Structure formats: C-alpha cells, structure tokens
Amino acid sequence: LYHDYREMFAREKLDIVSIATHPGLHRSIVEAAVAEGVKGILCEKPLALSLTDADALVAACRSAGCVLSVNHSRRWDPAHRKAKEMVEAGLIGDLVALYGFCQGVKPFPAWTADEEGPLIHDAVHLFDLFRLFAGDPTSVVGTAVRRLQPFRVEDDSHAIFTFADGLSGVAMVNELTRYNRFGIEVQGTDGVILIDGDGPRWWRSVDRTDRINEPTTQIEWYQLEPEAFPALPTTSSILEAVAELVHCMETGATPSSPGEDGIASLEMVMAVYESQLR
C-alpha cells in the first residue's frame, strides 16, 4: 500500500493504471503515470472538473503513446450496444428524439464531494449516450439551478440538445428525489427503445388502421406493441472495458470511449452551465 501515487509509479513500474479518484485529481495522476511509462489508463468519468484539465491529460497520454479509456461504462454494456445495433438496422425507423432522465440522492455515503453536481457526476453518462446514438450536438438550451439542496452546485437541470438534421435530446437531471433513476428512451418513427433500471425493452409501431370501422369504443390506429428484446450475453461492462484496453495496447486500436469522448461529454455539461449563465 502507498500513501503517494508518485512513489507507487516510481517503484512498481506499472503497465496499466485505473484512476478512480475524485475528478479534480485526475490530471495530476495521469501526468505522473505517463511520465513513469504507464502504457494504458482506465480513467473514471468525468475526465476532469474543467476542460483545461481534460484537454491537458488527453494531450499527455497522446504524446506519450499511452492508451486512455474513459469509463463511460454503458459503452460496454450489452443492452446499450444491442440498442445501437437495432437503431442502425432501422428496427425503429428514423430517429426522432432522445429522452434521458438521471435522478439521484445527495448526500450519499459514497459521494460527498461538493464540487460535483448531478450534471458532472452522473449526467456525463447520459450525455455520452446521446452522442452514442446521435453524434455530436450542435447547440443546447439548458438550466442548472439550486432549488432545494444546500450545496454549492446545482441540484436541478433541464436541457435540450440539438443534433444533426434537427434531432433533439432532452435531459432531466436532478438531486431532488429519495430514489435513484437513470434511463434513456430512443424514439424512432416506427418504434421506441427504453433502457432503464428495469432493463431493456422495445416497442414497434403496428398498423391497425384496418380496424378503424370495427364496432369499438376505441378508435384503432397505428399503435406501439411490445416486442421481445434480443437475448444478451451475461458479461461485466468493467471487465469488457479492461479487456478492450489491453487489446488496444497490444494492437493500436482505439477504445470504445477514448479521451476525446471524455472531453466531449464534459463539454456538454459545460455548455449547459454556459446556457444557464447567459
């Protein structure tokens, strides 16, 4: 055991490091690791508390040839990967909108840092998923306010991101509840995919217009009907992330969530803050 990570790096000559501290410490640890020859880093999200630090640590890894993977854990989750495949295969038609919710409880025994509000601590996962399905956003209108909690950070946020072709992503993020919820709904012209705490589900639009003249109290029209979500492998996202990191170190491939993705999700948080300021 070490009290100083610099001493650990100097003595152990490590190949791989997992950085799971509070984000304000990430930059200094990454820079110390690459200076001692570490070849692969799995860094927790958010990548940093500022874009300056995020840019610097990504640049440090790039210049040293160190593979950097950011733990946007749902990038390796079988359900989210399958949902991405289903969207690309056109199973729900053309994308119409994304809706995400992220609700947490603070204070929480494992989370006491008052520099991390729900946007930077949790919503980076949601914003990364928005990018997974829709690419990079072009603009955002958002709020970040303190409604109830006595912390120095926001406890409530609503944001609307705009993506290519006018696609929108709506995010509800707060720390106002006595329960935790996280989920994303991917809406298409012909169906919906929802992944939340109850697992992945999807619905397909079915043409019922042939029933419109049947004697019924309910007018039949196009309606959503549930479909069986494809079978998924039982695997651990974190194990997949580590295995991928080793593969990238050995082959030169790019991780599913490289440092640039860590910067991008953090940019989306900062854009919401900037929208609130303006």
Side-chain angles (χ1 to χ4, degrees):
L1 299 177
Y2 291 90
H3 291 287
D4 188 327
Y5 59 84
R6 295 177 181 84
E7 181 185 357
M8 179 185 70
F9 292 151
R11 286 191 178 188
E12 302 294 344
K13 302 302 179 185
L14 302 169
D15 293 317
I16 301 175
V17 171
S18 174
I19 299 176
T21 66
H22 285 305
L25 301 172
H26 289 176
R27 176 181 175 178
S28 61
I29 298 175
V30 166
E31 291 175 340
V34 298
E36 291 292 343
V38 170
K39 301 177 179 66
I41 293 175
L42 178 62
C43 186
E44 265 302 330
K45 56 78 216 165
L47 201 51
L49 290 176
S50 72
L51 290 172
T52 298
D53 283 352
D55 288 341
L57 71 84
V58 170
C61 290
R62 188 184 301 119
S63 64
C66 175
V67 180
L68 174 63
S69 181
V70 182
N71 191 25
H72 291 130
S73 55
R74 289 164 181 84
R75 289 269 177 166
W76 297 277
D77 174 61
H80 291 86
R81 285 186 163 184
K82 179 58 68 175
K84 174 69 170 175
E85 293 175 8
M86 294 166 67
V87 170
E88 292 176 342
L91 293 186
I92 62 169
D94 298 326
L95 281 186
V96 172
L98 302 170
Y99 173 69
F101 53 89
C102 179
Q103 295 172 285
V105 184
K106 190 174 182 179
F108 182 71
W111 172 21
T112 58
D114 69 354
E115 72 266 20
E116 295 179 61
L119 282 170
I120 204 166
H121 188 272
D122 290 318
V124 285
H125 280 303
L126 183 59
F127 295 167
D128 182 64
L129 288 176
F130 279 6
R131 293 185 62 250
L132 177 68
F133 287 103
D136 287 316
T138 57
S139 65
V140 64
V141 175
T143 64
V145 299
R146 284 191 292 261
R147 280 181 56 191
L148 299 176
Q149 300 284 13
F151 302 103
R152 294 170 45 224
V153 292
E154 81 284 349
D155 61 10
D156 192 24
S157 173
H158 294 81
I160 304 173
F161 291 94
T162 302
F163 298 87
D165 301 323
L167 179 70
S168 61
V170 180
M172 179 188 74
V173 180
N174 65 55
E175 285 164 346
L176 305 176
T177 59
R178 293 191 182 94
Y179 49 82
N180 293 294
R181 289 176 74 235
F182 184 98
I184 183 169
E185 184 174 278
V186 185
Q187 302 171 356
T189 53
D190 300 307
V192 175
I193 298 173
L194 172 63
I195 307 176
D196 60 12
D198 292 325
R201 290 97 76 203
W202 81 291
W203 297 260
R204 193 199 302 268
S205 176
V206 178
D207 184 352
R208 298 302 187 196
T209 56
D210 58 327
R211 301 181 185 178
I212 197 167
N213 294 318
E214 292 182 6
T216 177
T217 56
Q218 179 178 347
I219 296 177
E220 300 288 354
W221 195 242
Y222 292 88
Q223 62 188 41
L224 288 174
E225 295 190 358
E227 297 276 353
F229 201 86
L232 300 171
T234 55
T235 183
S236 160
S237 297
I238 193 68
L239 291 181
E240 290 290 323
V242 174
E244 182 191 76
L245 178 62
V246 174
H247 171 74
C248 292
M249 292 166 60
E250 293 174 343
T251 66
T254 300
S256 297
S257 180
E260 289 75 13
D261 282 334
I263 292 174
S265 61
L266 186 61
E267 278 184 320
M268 292 171 74
V269 171
M270 296 305 175
V272 175
Y273 287 149
E274 184 68 17
S275 181
Q276 173 66 47
L277 286 172
R278 294 189 184 189

